[in-house]
Amino acid sequence: MPERIAEVTALLAEVLAPRAPLTVIVDGGDPGAAAAFASRLAAAFPSSSRAWSIDAVLGLTGPGGGASDSALNVLEPATDRVLVFLRGGPRHRFAEGNGERRAQVVIDHRDPEWPVIRQIDPDLAEPDQWYLSESRAFFAARAADWDSKFGADMPRYAEAIRLAGVRAGHVVLDIGCGTGRALPALAAAAGPTGRVVGLDFTPDMLDAARKAGRDECATLLLGDARRLPVADAAADVLFAAGLVHHLPDPEAGLAELARVTRPGGTLVIFHPTGRAQLAARHGRTLRPGEPMSSERLGPLLDGSGWALQSYEDVPDRFLALATRCS
């Protein structure tokens, strides 16, 4: 069994074992993926265990009558049942259902040899048990090719920085900087009297930033956005590109960003494509209540020390600007 698959199934077995007896149902993914993953997950439990049922459900008759549907769109969560959803590739049959929203465990399974846990219900496991290691695994596998895939959108970063009002002398933190695509534009705006720090929790991403020479215009730090190694009220501007929707607890994450920002400082939440376009890239459509939706982001910011000033979600840009409350 490939090492990454063994790591994921061992982690899930560790999380779920204390809850036995339990039935785990795996669904989603490309054809055959659920059965293969269910078999590997079952193998991660001790052979002496008699309290487990781990199954792949390859389609049910849904309540609408007659149509083959995902188990996760039909079954209800229960105390003795855990639903696991595999995000699949282009042949994924159930990408448009509610399976991902209803599942307690979501696994990115586009590469069957490199599955990554993207969500575990907090009733099953605290984020500290899985979030950092799994997120690093997700981004480490993509670091080397990141700029070749997405480097063409750097002008959009520069435009977002201009609209955010980064000025000479500002202290700017780029949280979740990745390969540092925003750092040159941030450094140019902050000027020689300012300071720019890029922080990411994936060493491979920071290595790629250094190879691209972006450590010449900014300080690079290894760190977790949920526990920033930064003093209170240290920054004038926080730049967060593609960060907030990855956090397991967006409100707590936004509160930590507020902690390190001076009163009146600016939070820039950015992505170089709109939400609908990003969802389509991942083979899904937008659903109500997502953290970056217009109806939810404002209240999230209000509850974590920010006041939303502007919100833009167009095909070539998502840009929300917020001010740190006094």
Side-chain angles (χ1 to χ4, degrees):
M1 183 187 306
E3 182 178 354
R4 173 92 278 255
I5 299 172
E7 290 172 351
V8 169
T9 53
L11 176 54
L12 288 178
E14 178 185 345
V15 165
L16 297 175
R19 308 180 71 87
L22 195 68
T23 297
V24 181
I25 296 176
V26 182
D27 208 351
D30 290 339
F37 189 86
S39 175
R40 288 165 172 165
L41 180 57
F45 290 92
S47 58
S48 59
S49 175
R50 298 283 184 245
W52 290 93
S53 173
I54 303 176
D55 302 306
V57 179
L58 304 179
L60 297 176
T61 299
S68 178
D69 201 356
S70 168
L72 276 64
N73 293 333
V74 177
L75 297 176
E76 293 293 338
T79 56
D80 62 347
R81 180 166 61 219
V82 169
L83 307 179
V84 177
F85 179 83
L86 305 181
R87 290 178 181 168
R91 298 188 298 152
H92 184 191
R93 297 169 299 153
F94 304 128
E96 294 305 319
N98 290 321
E100 178 168 344
R101 180 180 60 83
R102 294 159 58 88
Q104 292 109 311
V105 179
V106 175
I107 298 174
D108 189 295
H109 204 263
R110 293 177 179 86
D111 179 356
E113 299 300 307
W114 196 265
V116 179
I117 298 170
R118 302 303 287 146
Q119 174 185 315
I120 298 181
D121 189 290
D123 288 340
L124 296 177
E126 292 293 328
D128 284 344
Q129 193 171 352
W130 63 273
Y131 172 73
L132 190 59
S133 63
E134 291 301 297
S135 295
R136 279 179 171 165
F138 181 85
F139 287 106
R142 293 160 171 79
D145 298 329
W146 196 266
D147 280 359
S148 62
K149 288 183 177 180
F150 304 116
D153 58 25
M154 288 180 69
R156 299 181 189 180
Y157 279 76
E159 177 64 7
I161 291 163
R162 184 189 70 80
L163 293 171
V166 179
R167 299 193 305 273
H170 272 168
V171 175
V172 184
L173 304 183
D174 183 357
I175 308 299
C177 68
T179 61
R181 287 179 293 165
L183 296 176
L186 289 170
T193 59
R195 185 185 181 195
V196 176
V197 176
L199 181 140
D200 202 275
F201 64 10
T202 304
D204 303 73
M205 283 289 189
L206 294 178
D207 287 345
R210 293 186 186 96
K211 289 177 181 177
R214 291 164 189 156
D215 56 337
E216 298 176 4
C217 61
T219 302
L220 299 181
L221 291 179
L222 180 68
D224 186 348
R226 301 171 302 153
R227 299 179 183 87
L228 293 168
V230 178
D232 294 355
D236 298 293
V237 178
L238 259 70
F239 190 81
L243 171 72
V244 176
H245 65 278
H246 282 294
L247 297 173
D249 185 342
E251 186 167 0
L254 288 167
E256 174 65 357
L257 300 184
R259 179 187 66 79
V260 302
T261 307
R262 65 166 178 80
T266 300
L267 171 63
V268 185
I269 302 175
F270 171 70
H271 199 278
T273 59
R275 294 173 57 244
Q277 288 68 31
L278 181 61
R281 181 190 298 170
H282 294 295
R284 67 179 188 87
T285 56
L286 294 177
R287 299 183 179 93
E290 295 182 358
M292 296 297 95
S293 63
S294 57
E295 70 272 14
R296 190 173 175 206
L297 183 58
L300 278 174
L301 289 164
D302 289 341
S304 53
W306 300 97
L308 181 64
Q309 301 299 324
S310 63
Y311 181 98
E312 183 182 22
D313 185 9
V314 295
D316 62 353
R317 178 171 67 219
F318 176 91
L319 180 63
L321 302 178
T323 300
R324 175 70 168 97
C325 300
S326 300

